[in-house]
């Protein structure tokens, strides 16, 4: 792992030097931007939330032997569900609106996973194909909904009206107090996601055992179907979409889910080769780097897109090193 | 109407065709053709194709080929040499390529400035038939023409030895792999060449996508055409010629979607965009049951070799 990160940093340093900047200064700005203040830590947690939730769901599927790459669509549908419930909740001032909206997000995500599962099991289509193709259908469905019932008339973009204040997620004390953009940062989703993901991950080890070893199946009281695992993963991804809509954007926006699903799944897959206790931390670290890259771009002028190169190269090195050792 | 489709459709379907035809070829060599979307691989090196000597179309195509092959080489090494999972590696390469594209766009186009991106527009491709819609026809014809040699290989007899380690028919694949081993061919070398050769084809696909869309490289220029190419292959049941026809149909749909509302047809353009994926899902029936009949099959996995087993009528993946 250390070698993989080191090699990827060297690759990134070469790219930074190629653009005429000092790599050390760029990395220092990135680190400062990631963990330099409580606000930055809150931003990183905020960014980590969808990765943790969606990645946790995908992890459970992987451990259970089901390849689910439909997190992107499930996040999109989850966000739509959260927006639909929050905008149509009868008592918009009630604190229950948040809970209902999050439940709606999880339900919509699970529903989309159920569609994939039904096609997979009913028509005997490989789950990779189903979940992958349904991603694009989901993204287009969200656009269709935003241009129709959930759309804000007169807006220049495909977006919904703003969520009611009671339906937005709460702010973590101590992290958001100094925020210049306090209404967009430091929401509690990161902590919730971390609290959810790790026990579910440990639990999924049993699922994997059930499916991977027929002998264990006969001895174990647990009977886990692929459908149940997919529903759980869909609910988690939908929850990620709901947190993103209710805690970050405060409205449903076209394309808000782009990248979360694929990155969450790939990170999980790459980090999945490592010890399980490190995975949540790894995903959080990636989010911190993304938060820090914005600071690097502002201070040094190195494009923040560099962070995706670092992440991707690290994952490639981790994949190569781990499988070779295995 | 017909004239509109005739002019616009080639713009749309050329990238699809380039993307789609690579997959059966790869699959016959034991590499799953996992989709690459957005501005992946070949696009990495294309910022340079708008400058200097790349103003010549052939040089631009050459750079595009080299870009696709370079990313393909990385994927080939990780998947074949280190036995990492094809899907995860391919999609991780997407992240690298997308980030690298975005980074290089900014570095090359404005000394690192992260805002507006303006490259010199690519020159229009020469018109092989004067008097006809120049750019469209050129874009439609050249990338497939460049793939003629590979196309011949696509139609090679199926009984020739090919190290087909994974795919829908595992039993047949296993027999083929054994044949290859027995013939003394190095499967690893063949697979690496297959990956590199077929990733190479993504270069012209990007180039044609750029040339058809304002002749400039911009973020998300790919617009998930890789996945539409996959959908066309599924619709055609992995037949290259059928995939080309499906690409024509999808290209027509894409060209038609914005005009649809102008004609007063009460169908949303989003529904039209969904259609290829829904049709593919409808046609994808039966890509899974082969696994059940295969007994035990070894394939590469996320962490290490996985075993696909069946018990109680269900599939189990384990290590």
């Amino acid at each position: 792992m250390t070698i993989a990160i080191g090699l990827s940093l060297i690759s990134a340093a070469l790219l930074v030097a190629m653009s005429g900047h000092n790599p050390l200064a760029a990395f220092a700005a990135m680190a400062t931007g990631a963990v330099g203040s409580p606000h930055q830590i809150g931003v990183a947690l905020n960014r980590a939330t969808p990765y943790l939730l969606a990645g946790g769901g995908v992890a459970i599927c992987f451990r259970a032997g089901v390849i689910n790459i439909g997190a992107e669509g499930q996040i999109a549908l989850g966000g739509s569900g959260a927006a639909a419930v929050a905008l149509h909740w009868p008592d918009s001032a009630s604190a229950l609106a948040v809970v209902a909206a999050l439940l709606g997000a999880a339900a919509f995500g699970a529903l989309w996973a159920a569609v994939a599962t039904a096609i997979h099991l009913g028509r005997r289509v490989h789950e990779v194909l189903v979940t992958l193709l349904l991603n694009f259908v989901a993204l287009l469905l969200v656009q269709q909904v935003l241009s129709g019932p959930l759309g804000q008339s007169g807006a220049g973009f495909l977006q919904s009206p703003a969520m009611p204040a009671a339906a937005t997620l709460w702010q973590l004390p101590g992290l958001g107090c100094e925020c210049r953009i306090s209404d967009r940062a430091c929401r509690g989703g990161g902590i919730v996601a971390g609290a959810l993901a790790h026990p579910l991950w440990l639990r999924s080890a049993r699922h994997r055992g059930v499916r991977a070893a027929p002998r264990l199946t006969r001895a174990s009281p647990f009977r886990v179907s692929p459908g149940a695992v997919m529903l759980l993963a869909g609910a988690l991804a939908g929850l990620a979409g709901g947190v993103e809509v209710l805690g970050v954007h405060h409205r449903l926006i076209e394309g808000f889910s782009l990248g979360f699903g694929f990155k969450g799944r790939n990170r999980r897959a790459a980090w999945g080769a490592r010890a399980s206790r490190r995975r949540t931390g790894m995903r959080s670290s990636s989010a911190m780097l993304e938060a820090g890259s914005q600071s690097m771009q502002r201070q040094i002028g190195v494009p923040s897109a560099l962070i995706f190169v670092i992440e991707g190269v690290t994952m490639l090195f981790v994949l190569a090193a781990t499988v070779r050792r295995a | 109407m017909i004239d509109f489709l005739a002019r616009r459709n080639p713009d749309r379907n050329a990238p699809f065709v380039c993307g789609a035809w690579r997959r059966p070829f790869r699959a016959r060599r034991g590499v799953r053709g996992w989709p690459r979307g957005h501005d992946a691989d070949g696009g990495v090196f294309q910022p340079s194709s708008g400058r200097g000597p790349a103003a010549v179309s052939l040089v631009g195509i050459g750079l595009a080929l080299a870009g696709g092959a370079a990313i393909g080489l990385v994927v080939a090494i990780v998947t074949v040499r280190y036995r990492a999972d094809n899907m995860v590696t391919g999609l991780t390469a997407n992240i690298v390529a997308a980030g690298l594209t975005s980074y290089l766009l900014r570095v090359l186009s404005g000394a690192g400035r992260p805002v507006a991106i303006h490259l010199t527009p690519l020159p229009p491709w020469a018109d092989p038939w004067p008097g006809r819609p120049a750019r469209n026809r050129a874009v439609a014809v050249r990338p497939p023409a460049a793939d003629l040699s590979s196309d011949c290989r696509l139609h090679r007899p199926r009984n020739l030895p090919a190290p087909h380690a994974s795919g829908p028919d595992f039993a047949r694949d296993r027999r083929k792999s054994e044949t290859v081993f027995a013939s003394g061919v190095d499967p690893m070398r063949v697979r690496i060449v297959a990956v590199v050769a077929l990733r190479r084809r993504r270069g012209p696909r990007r180039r044609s996508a750029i040339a058809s869309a304002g002749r400039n490289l911009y973020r998300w220029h790919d617009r998930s055409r890789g996945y539409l190419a996959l959908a066309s292959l599924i619709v055609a049941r992995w037949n290259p010629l059928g995939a080309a026809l499906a690409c024509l149909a999808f290209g027509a749909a894409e060209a038609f979607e914005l005009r649809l509302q102008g004609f007063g047809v009460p169908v949303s353009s989003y529904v039209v965009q969904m259609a290829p994926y829904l049709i593919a899902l409808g046609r994808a029936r039966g890509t899974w049951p082969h696994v059940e009949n295969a007994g035990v099959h070894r394939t590469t996995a996320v962490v290490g070799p996985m075993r696909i087993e069946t018990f109680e009528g269900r599939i189990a993946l384990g290590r």
Side-chain angles (χ1 to χ4, degrees):
Chain A
M1 172 62 72
T2 308
I3 295 174
I5 293 176
L7 288 174
S8 63
L9 285 178
I10 290 173
S11 308
L14 290 175
L15 285 173
V16 173
M18 193 181 79
S19 66
H21 295 93
N22 183 356
L24 290 179
F27 291 152
M30 192 188 300
T32 307
V35 292
S37 69
H39 165 65
Q40 297 294 352
I41 295 173
V43 169
L45 281 176
N46 210 26
R47 284 179 180 268
T49 302
Y51 296 139
L52 285 167
L53 283 170
V58 173
I60 292 167
C61 283
F62 273 11
R63 298 278 281 185
V66 179
I67 304 173
N68 170 26
I69 57 174
E72 188 109 359
Q74 291 150 12
I75 290 175
L77 263 291
S80 305
V85 172
L87 290 174
H88 295 94
W89 189 253
D91 184 7
S92 60
S94 168
L96 282 178
V98 176
V99 179
L102 288 177
L103 286 177
F108 270 64
L111 180 67
W112 200 242
V115 171
T117 308
I119 297 174
H120 167 54
L121 296 178
R123 293 181 60 83
R124 320 294 292 177
V125 183
H126 198 285
E127 72 261 27
V128 171
L129 288 181
V130 180
T131 51
L132 179 71
L133 294 178
L134 282 180
N135 275 344
F136 300 101
V137 177
L139 295 176
L140 290 165
L141 264 181
V142 171
Q143 293 179 26
Q144 173 71 38
V145 165
L146 280 177
S147 64
L150 283 184
Q152 183 180 23
S153 59
F157 303 97
L158 281 180
Q159 63 180 27
S160 72
M163 301 290 125
T168 57
L169 286 181
W170 61 92
Q171 196 165 357
L172 283 180
L175 290 180
C177 55
E178 299 172 2
C179 294
R180 285 173 294 177
I181 47 172
S182 59
D183 59 331
R184 292 195 171 196
C186 310
R187 301 294 168 175
I191 303 298
V192 174
L196 275 174
H198 199 65
L200 285 173
W201 170 263
L202 296 177
R203 177 82 172 172
S204 68
R206 289 177 179 239
H207 296 180
R208 181 199 171 202
V210 168
R211 297 207 64 208
R215 291 178 185 172
L216 282 180
T217 308
R218 298 187 193 100
S220 168
F222 294 100
R223 289 275 177 172
V224 182
S225 69
V229 175
M230 284 285 286
L231 286 181
L232 182 59
L236 282 173
L239 197 57
V243 168
E244 192 70 10
V245 167
L246 300 176
V248 178
H249 303 295
H250 295 171
R251 63 174 79 228
L252 183 63
I253 300 174
E254 177 195 16
F256 80 95
S257 64
L258 286 178
F260 284 132
F262 282 116
K263 283 183 199 164
R265 179 190 40 70
N266 272 32
R267 282 171 181 165
R268 202 240 66 91
W271 303 135
R274 315 306 307 166
S276 62
R277 291 178 186 174
R278 297 181 186 172
R279 287 175 186 127
T280 302
M282 286 299 177
R283 285 195 289 268
S284 303
S285 304
S286 298
M288 284 186 177
L289 287 178
E290 281 186 24
S293 67
Q294 301 293 332
S295 173
M296 177 183 71
Q297 181 170 288
R298 282 195 304 271
Q299 295 180 20
I300 310 295
V302 175
S304 62
L306 180 69
I307 195 60
F308 300 116
V309 181
I310 295 176
E311 288 178 5
V313 172
T314 306
M315 283 190 271
L316 283 178
F317 281 129
V318 167
L319 277 171
T322 307
V323 176
R324 188 182 188 188
R325 194 162 50 192
Chain B
M1 171 73 70
I2 298 298
D3 178 61
F4 166 75
L5 288 178
R7 279 188 288 112
R8 299 299 297 176
N9 192 17
D11 268 358
R12 302 299 197 276
N13 69 48
F16 299 159
V17 173
C18 285
W21 279 4
R22 55 193 281 275
R23 292 198 170 84
F25 181 65
R26 275 168 52 124
R28 291 186 186 189
R29 279 150 185 81
V31 182
R32 281 173 289 181
W34 295 109
R36 273 77 178 170
H38 307 306
D39 43 355
D41 43 43
V44 169
F45 295 90
Q46 289 192 354
S48 59
S49 63
R51 295 172 167 226
V56 182
S57 291
L58 287 179
V59 178
I61 293 174
L63 286 173
L65 289 169
I71 296 292
L73 183 62
V74 173
V75 174
I77 290 172
V78 176
T79 56
V80 179
R81 175 72 180 84
Y82 295 99
R83 296 188 303 138
D85 182 70
N86 287 319
M87 177 185 70
V88 175
T89 307
L91 290 170
T92 302
N94 261 2
I95 294 177
V96 178
L100 205 51
T101 303
S102 184
Y103 181 79
L104 290 179
L105 268 172
R106 286 160 172 78
V107 170
L108 293 176
S109 67
R113 283 178 304 181
V115 277
I117 299 166
H118 296 292
L119 288 175
T120 308
L122 297 179
W125 291 8
D127 183 7
W129 293 282
R132 306 299 295 271
R135 182 163 54 86
N136 301 330
R137 184 173 288 278
V139 168
V141 170
R142 288 201 180 186
D147 288 335
L148 276 180
S149 61
S150 299
D151 186 35
C152 294
R153 290 185 168 186
L154 283 170
H155 291 91
R156 63 200 288 273
R158 284 177 175 270
N159 56 0
L160 286 181
H164 191 166
S166 61
D169 189 345
F170 291 140
R172 188 195 65 194
D173 299 339
R174 193 163 54 245
R175 288 196 300 273
K176 280 193 172 183
S177 297
E178 290 164 359
T179 308
V180 171
F181 277 110
S183 67
V185 177
D186 180 4
M188 184 177 295
R189 181 175 298 175
V190 174
R191 292 186 66 192
I192 285 182
V193 169
V195 174
V196 172
L198 270 297
R199 301 282 293 194
R200 181 201 62 188
R201 193 175 296 173
R202 295 184 53 84
R205 186 161 73 83
R206 308 288 168 189
R207 179 64 162 81
S208 61
I210 293 169
S212 67
R215 294 184 291 122
N216 211 332
L217 177 61
Y218 54 93
R219 216 174 170 208
W220 311 121
H221 70 270
D222 190 278
R223 289 182 293 172
S224 303
R225 284 192 165 95
Y227 299 104
L228 267 180
L230 173 69
S232 71
L233 261 184
I234 294 171
V235 169
R237 295 195 184 278
W238 304 91
N239 182 301
L241 293 179
L245 291 176
C247 288
L248 284 172
F250 292 167
E254 188 177 310
F256 194 55
E257 70 188 35
L258 292 178
R259 292 236 168 168
L260 203 60
Q261 293 166 346
F263 293 136
V265 180
V267 177
S268 166
S269 64
Y270 302 116
V271 175
V272 177
Q273 291 178 57
M274 277 181 218
Y277 303 111
L278 296 176
I279 294 171
L281 281 171
R283 290 276 292 171
R285 181 185 177 91
T287 56
W288 191 42
H290 296 288
V291 180
E292 282 188 321
N293 302 327
V296 177
H297 172 72
R298 293 177 65 85
T299 181
T300 54
V302 177
V303 176
M306 292 182 76
R307 295 173 69 83
I308 299 176
E309 300 173 331
T310 58
F311 67 97
E312 296 178 357
R314 291 190 303 172
I315 303 299
L317 275 76
R319 300 186 181 94

